[in-house]
Amino acid sequence: MKKSDDLRKKIAYERKCFWTDTTKNEQKTAMKFAENYKKFLSAAKTEREVIDYTVEELKGKNFINIDVPQKNNNNRRVYKVFKNKAMAVAVIGKNPMSEGVNIVASHIDAPRVDLKQNPFDEDKITKLAILKTHYYGGIKKYQWMSTPLALHGIVIKANGERVDICIGENDNDPVLVMPDLLIHLSRKEQMSKPMSEAVSAAHMNVLLGSIPYYEDKEETKDAVKLNALNLIFDKYDIKEEDFLSAELYLVPAGKARDLGVDKSMVIGYGQDDRICAYTSLQALLDVMEMESDKTSIIYFFDKEEVGSDGASGANSIFFLDFIGDLLKYNNEDAGSYNTRKTLIKSSVISADVNAAINPNFPSVHEASNAVHMGYGVGIAKFLGSGGKGGTNDASSEFTAKVMRIFNEEKVNWQIGALGKVDEGGGGTIAKFLSYHGCDVIDCGPGLLSMHSLNEVCSKADLYSTYKAYKAFLLKA
Ligand code: MN
Ligand code: MN
């Protein structure tokens, strides 16, 4: 070996490829880890569905709902569901919580297309029944056209009864679609316009039905819409007025799948940020089996894609309030002072996805500062846009501590900024959590095609993220 090679090995930094750096055994474990992840992605396509899935899993592991009074507070495994859209899960450690806790916090909402509050209409020219929509989060609208969609969500009837809706996921279900314009007639309407204008929100109507309702062989007003409403009434016993208060989301229909001839990747909807929710849950379930000194907590927040506002977002009182709940449950002082001090002494991972370099569009990244697929979980000291606008920016002390923990636990990790400086940018929940004075760092896997209907992750990075969160919960 040349002298320069020796020196390079000794003092130069190089990120490590999971597929060449780890044993065949560990790679097999990573491949296996992805199997249940695909099932989770396919089953949980809304924040409510993620919560239902998680609560089901927790009940099987003897976790209790902290809001339900218990005979004693001996169970160290607790969870809380907040407004049916956010949740937190904790494994209480041996040390007092007020000495500080370890937290991994992610978000479980994803970009989607919602139905408008009064969605039903019949197009006057075509006599087709349609549903009107209002998109949620950052989407490229054209990606949602002419692709099979499923309808997920809930309707609360006038008597208060909740009806869960899911149309388009079973093989026998019909799907829905927003029909795009044929290429032959797109020259002026679409092809000569900038991408952001080629499909507008007003084009995103959903085809609902085409058969009119007939009475005595005489067509009635809006007969196609009426027929569709009648079919829905027959199946679910819900009327048009019930939709005015409903929460119904259109999401891509179908399951998450393996990607690539080597099956090294997963393609599926909603991986931003359910990949972090899933890996943090699996990490916590492992920590649960160990006698940990510190309390481990994971949070699933809603509303990240629209700015973390609202009662179920990371900028709400829920983050602080659950710490108070836990202190009280653990027979510690749950007053405002002690609750605040507990968070100030705590360590937090803001668990969110990063942008891996896309071979089709490498120019928006700087390769040495970006996340590469298959090279492990990404650590982002800061995000934001422009001159670090709107960032948390983890301290050097805390960043080095996290790197040390990952190295000790042989986690494949890399540093990752979100694109070149001034290329664009984005934020996470990190800045809302750090408001409480805790140490916070962004950490999560890189995805390709983030916010598209078919996001891609590497199974190596999925597994490395799980390992990273577990190491952090145990050692931070
Ligand atoms: Mn995200
Ligand atoms: Mn996002």
Side-chain angles (χ1 to χ4, degrees):
M1 202 185 259
K2 275 194 288 185
K3 217 174 166 189
S4 58
D5 288 340
D6 276 347
L7 188 63
R8 197 167 289 116
K9 219 175 160 193
K10 196 171 151 198
I11 62 169
Y13 166 74
E14 205 176 356
R15 74 189 81 224
K16 290 187 185 117
C17 174
F18 177 88
W19 303 112
T20 53
D21 182 54
T22 55
T23 62
K24 285 277 170 248
N25 223 1
E26 184 158 24
Q27 290 166 32
K28 230 189 238 169
T29 311
M31 289 295 205
K32 212 175 142 216
F33 187 86
E35 292 306 305
N36 268 330
Y37 172 61
K38 283 182 287 176
K39 284 186 197 144
F40 162 77
L41 273 187
S42 308
K45 294 190 178 179
T46 70
E47 59 276 359
R48 289 174 191 271
E49 288 170 359
V50 171
I51 287 172
D52 290 347
Y53 188 101
T54 306
V55 167
E56 209 46 48
E57 184 148 7
L58 293 175
K59 280 183 180 161
K61 303 268 195 300
N62 293 321
F63 278 78
I64 55 154
N65 184 341
I66 202 167
D67 289 331
V68 178
Q70 307 290 321
K71 282 197 209 98
N72 59 56
N73 290 5
N74 292 342
N75 194 333
R76 309 279 82 190
R77 308 168 182 183
V78 297
Y79 71 89
K80 183 187 179 87
V81 174
F82 195 65
K83 310 280 178 192
N84 293 329
K85 292 183 173 190
M87 76 179 294
V89 193
V91 174
I92 298 170
K94 285 182 277 187
N95 294 353
M97 278 184 58
S98 50
E99 290 174 12
V101 301
N102 293 336
I103 297 171
V104 178
S106 59
H107 68 92
I108 52 173
D109 62 320
R112 59 177 194 250
V113 177
D114 294 346
L115 293 195
K116 278 186 177 167
Q117 289 327 112
N118 188 8
F120 293 94
D121 205 356
E122 180 171 318
D123 180 62
K124 297 291 166 287
I125 299 168
T126 58
K127 302 261 191 241
L128 293 168
I130 57 169
L131 289 169
K132 296 190 162 183
T133 67
H134 191 151
Y135 66 99
Y136 171 95
I139 62 166
K140 290 180 170 177
K141 299 186 184 83
Y142 74 90
Q143 293 178 336
W144 288 77
M145 306 300 282
S146 291
T147 188
L149 300 169
L151 189 68
H152 291 233
I154 64 155
V155 179
I156 308 291
K157 298 203 297 194
N159 63 5
E161 188 194 331
R162 168 176 160 172
V163 182
D164 285 82
I165 308 256
C166 182
I167 303 170
E169 298 293 357
N170 287 328
D171 287 348
N172 298 329
D173 280 358
V175 291
L176 299 167
V177 78
M178 303 175 197
D180 198 3
L181 183 60
L182 68 167
I183 181 70
H184 315 68
L185 300 177
S186 292
R187 196 182 299 163
K188 284 187 228 153
E189 185 66 31
Q190 288 187 322
M191 303 306 280
S192 61
K193 291 179 182 171
M195 196 192 268
S196 58
E197 291 167 22
V199 175
S200 76
H203 294 131
M204 298 175 75
N205 294 322
V206 173
L207 261 188
L208 181 67
S210 61
I211 301 176
Y213 181 82
Y214 277 92
E215 206 176 42
D216 305 328
K217 297 285 164 207
E218 213 174 289
E219 208 175 304
T220 56
K221 176 178 161 276
D222 285 346
V224 181
K225 172 187 158 184
L226 186 65
N227 191 51
L229 278 172
N230 193 33
L231 288 168
I232 291 166
F233 180 71
D234 278 350
K235 184 161 183 197
Y236 296 102
D237 191 30
I238 47 182
K239 302 175 196 167
E240 189 172 15
E241 188 178 299
D242 296 327
F243 281 84
L244 304 189
S245 63
E247 287 179 354
L248 291 164
Y249 309 163
L250 291 154
V251 296
K255 294 186 163 83
R257 309 182 64 164
D258 286 333
L259 181 74
V261 290
D262 55 8
K263 298 188 177 178
S264 63
M265 296 166 277
V266 174
I267 184 166
Y269 165 73
Q271 300 197 65
D272 171 9
D273 183 30
R274 294 175 191 138
I275 190 170
C276 294
Y278 181 81
T279 46
S280 68
L281 176 65
Q282 299 312 311
L284 187 79
L285 293 179
D286 281 0
V287 168
M288 165 190 98
E289 306 287 354
M290 303 170 188
E291 294 274 289
S292 195
D293 289 335
K294 274 195 175 178
T295 293
S296 299
I297 306 173
I298 61 168
Y299 280 87
F300 293 173
F301 287 109
D302 176 33
K303 297 279 184 290
E304 193 275 345
E305 297 296 356
V306 290
S308 294
D309 297 319
S312 50
N315 200 14
S316 89
I317 200 72
F318 174 52
F319 183 56
L320 184 71
D321 190 61
F322 183 64
I323 300 296
D325 283 340
L326 283 175
L327 285 167
K328 192 173 163 205
Y329 182 86
N330 206 31
N331 297 316
E332 293 184 60
D333 176 8
S336 166
Y337 181 83
N338 199 45
T339 306
R340 280 188 282 121
K341 291 298 177 196
T342 300
L343 269 183
I344 285 173
K345 287 179 197 157
S346 295
S347 302
V348 183
I349 278 182
S350 160
D352 208 343
V353 295
N354 204 313
I357 301 187
N358 183 330
N360 287 333
F361 302 95
S363 68
V364 299
H365 298 278
E366 185 181 283
S368 60
N369 276 294
V371 169
H372 297 240
M373 293 273 284
Y375 284 73
V377 69
I379 296 176
K381 187 174 177 298
F382 53 83
L383 294 164
S385 58
K388 303 193 180 180
T391 189
N392 158 57
D393 203 349
S395 72
S396 180
E397 293 89 335
F398 189 54
T399 308
K401 181 181 174 182
V402 170
M403 285 163 56
R404 198 179 315 128
I405 292 170
F406 288 177
N407 283 336
E408 279 168 14
E409 295 300 308
K410 304 217 165 356
V411 175
N412 284 75
W413 63 273
Q414 51 187 327
I415 285 290
L418 189 74
K420 276 183 189 164
V421 178
D422 286 340
E423 193 71 45
T428 63
I429 61 174
K431 64 174 177 177
F432 304 111
L433 308 183
S434 60
Y435 161 80
H436 297 276
C438 35
D439 279 317
V440 184
I441 191 162
D442 278 292
C443 176
L447 296 183
L448 293 179
S449 310
M450 194 198 296
H451 283 208
S452 76
L453 289 73
N454 293 292
E455 297 174 317
V456 173
C457 79
S458 155
K459 290 181 183 176
D461 303 336
L462 167 74
Y463 181 69
S464 300
T465 302
Y466 147 75
K467 267 183 79 177
Y469 295 166
K470 185 174 161 183
F472 181 85
L473 289 175
L474 286 172
K475 290 193 143 184

